Amino acid sequence: MSKEIRCIRCQGRKKLYKINSCYSHVNTGGVLVNCPMCLGTGSMKSSQEIIDEIGNRNNNVEEET
């Protein structure tokens, strides 16, 4: 079972304001964009799931070569 946690950048809000190369929760003249860390979903996978996926990808690459 996948245990998803709230995104640490947008804190589950899904949208942020982008000003130059910085992101903010408060509109200070920026453009409203999807969160680049969670891609607008508001949640992320647990760290253990991410580690497992990376391990599986590495194993697949080693098997193909």
Side-chain angles (χ1 to χ4, degrees), residues 9-65:
R9 179 170 281 172
C10 69
Q11 298 174 350
R13 295 178 182 167
K14 302 179 185 178
K15 302 272 186 183
L16 293 171
Y17 293 97
K18 183 176 182 182
I19 303 118
N20 295 329
S21 62
C22 301
Y23 295 94
S24 172
H25 296 281
V26 181
N27 186 5
T28 55
V31 178
L32 188 63
V33 296
N34 285 336
C35 176
M37 187 171 263
C38 67
L39 303 175
T41 62
S43 62
M44 299 177 65
K45 296 178 183 175
S46 68
S47 57
Q48 187 59 45
E49 281 187 10
I50 294 170
I51 291 169
D52 292 341
E53 283 182 11
I54 292 171
N56 290 339
R57 278 190 234 152
N58 289 341
N59 290 340
N60 291 338
V61 170
E62 290 174 1
E63 290 173 0
E64 290 176 3
T65 58

